[in-house]
Amino acid sequence: MPTATSPVAVVTGASRGVGRGIALALGAAGMTVYVTGRAPAQAGSKLYGQALDGSLEGTAAAIGAAGGRGIAVHCDHAEDAQVRALFARVAEECGRLDLLVNNAAFIHEQLIEPGPFWSKPLELVDILEVGLRSAYVASYYAAPLLLKAGRGLICFTSSFGAGCYMHGPAYGAQKAGVDKLAADMAIDFEGSGVAALSLWLGPQLTERTRLAGAQHGEQYQAFLAQAETPEFNGRVIHALLGDPELPSYSGQTLVTAEIAPRYGISEAAGRQPPSYREMLGAPRLQHPARVI
């Protein structure tokens, strides 16, 4: 069970899917995990007209059952005041923060449908508001707490869509954007003990992707057969947080499937998810120049 000195994490967008799985893995490692999501009246999410299961309170309860301490905080990451209040609460209740996982993002029901961007609803661009801008705002309010702890990590969940065409320009811009946030925040954090990383996750086994697989045929389902669980990625994030070499990785974009073996992390029965570097490309290397 977590103690008064247990590491403290905030995982945004954790009502379901990737955020929920990451939060559960952190809880299983004994962490205190604040999980965020919109209030129930706002939080409904659908795919192909079917409501997706999951609630913030359910995630918090599952964290407790896994051995951690889960704290549900209703927070609309489109509202800066609510984000500020979230981190004020963490400061008041814990006095520190060790890990921020920026995962909240607006996912439109038609995101993965074929067709050019102008044929889809304009609302797909909202992923740049809740997904890119919101990650900056959360990091802004988390930074003083991470610096107070003297060591910590800001982690962005990203994907191969940052480097190749995937789901259209808004999605790609959001993923490329968080990679750049990690690179530039790392420079600002230099020498502080706080690191910033972006992680390229492979296909994820979530309710959303299972529904999508049922709609998009054998090729999509073949990807899912080798997909990662969100908990797999949560274990990778926890391992990075505890790695003495973490400062040397700061600013990089890493592929979770490639670094998991370094920490002895695999899926059930030892299955190792593949990296899609050869098929979809490698993370972009930032130029070392600095204009101050």
Side-chain angles (χ1 to χ4, degrees):
M1 291 295 292
T3 67
T5 58
S6 296
V8 179
V10 170
V11 181
T12 71
S15 296
R16 60 182 64 83
V18 172
R20 174 184 169 89
I22 289 173
L24 292 182
L26 298 176
M31 295 187 72
T32 294
V33 188
Y34 287 78
V35 289
T36 75
R38 293 182 298 171
Q42 303 172 296
S45 187
K46 292 184 178 181
L47 187 62
Y48 306 119
Q50 182 172 333
L52 299 176
D53 292 333
S55 71
L56 204 57
E57 289 74 17
T59 299
I63 291 168
R69 180 182 176 218
I71 302 170
V73 181
H74 293 296
C75 178
D76 183 347
H77 283 271
E79 300 292 336
D80 294 355
Q82 293 186 33
V83 180
R84 181 173 64 248
L86 161 69
F87 289 99
R89 177 175 173 180
V90 174
E92 180 179 356
E93 295 178 352
C94 298
R96 62 179 292 156
L97 180 65
D98 300 277
L99 170 66
L100 167 63
V101 180
N102 277 308
N103 174 72
F106 172 78
I107 303 297
H108 194 279
E109 185 174 1
Q110 294 188 31
L111 174 68
I112 64 173
E113 295 303 305
F117 72 91
W118 60 85
S119 71
K120 299 180 185 181
L122 180 61
E123 288 76 18
L124 266 76
V125 78
D126 289 349
I127 196 172
L128 301 181
E129 175 71 15
V130 179
L132 181 56
R133 184 183 184 279
S134 64
Y136 182 98
V137 174
S139 302
Y140 178 89
Y141 287 115
L145 280 170
L146 291 162
L147 292 167
K148 182 178 179 180
R151 189 180 189 280
L153 172 62
I154 293 178
C155 183
F156 301 87
T157 58
S158 187
S159 86
F160 288 86
C164 70
Y165 184 92
M166 185 181 291
H167 308 325
Y171 179 86
Q174 188 264 331
K175 296 307 181 187
V178 296
D179 291 357
K180 191 65 164 70
L181 287 183
D184 289 357
M185 287 181 183
I187 292 173
D188 287 350
F189 280 127
E190 277 183 351
S192 70
V194 177
L197 288 172
S198 192
L199 298 179
W200 280 12
L201 282 52
Q204 298 295 292
L205 287 171
T206 65
E207 183 184 11
R208 183 183 293 273
T209 57
R210 288 188 183 95
L211 288 172
Q215 292 284 329
H216 288 270
E218 294 182 1
Q219 184 177 12
Y220 201 102
Q221 292 184 35
F223 272 113
L224 294 183
Q226 301 185 78
E228 304 160 4
T229 62
E231 289 83 354
F232 168 86
N233 289 286
R235 293 195 296 273
V236 170
I237 291 170
H238 183 262
L240 284 165
L241 179 64
D243 190 333
E245 300 299 317
L246 176 62
S248 68
Y249 310 141
S250 190
Q252 296 183 42
T253 296
L254 303 174
V255 178
T256 56
E258 294 176 357
I259 61 174
R262 181 187 309 169
Y263 302 112
I265 296 171
S266 65
E267 295 283 10
R271 179 176 69 87
Q272 199 66 57
S275 168
Y276 292 90
R277 178 186 292 263
E278 293 300 319
M279 180 186 297
L280 301 178
R284 180 177 182 270
L285 294 177
Q286 302 296 323
H287 194 279
R290 300 184 182 187
V291 180
I292 305 298

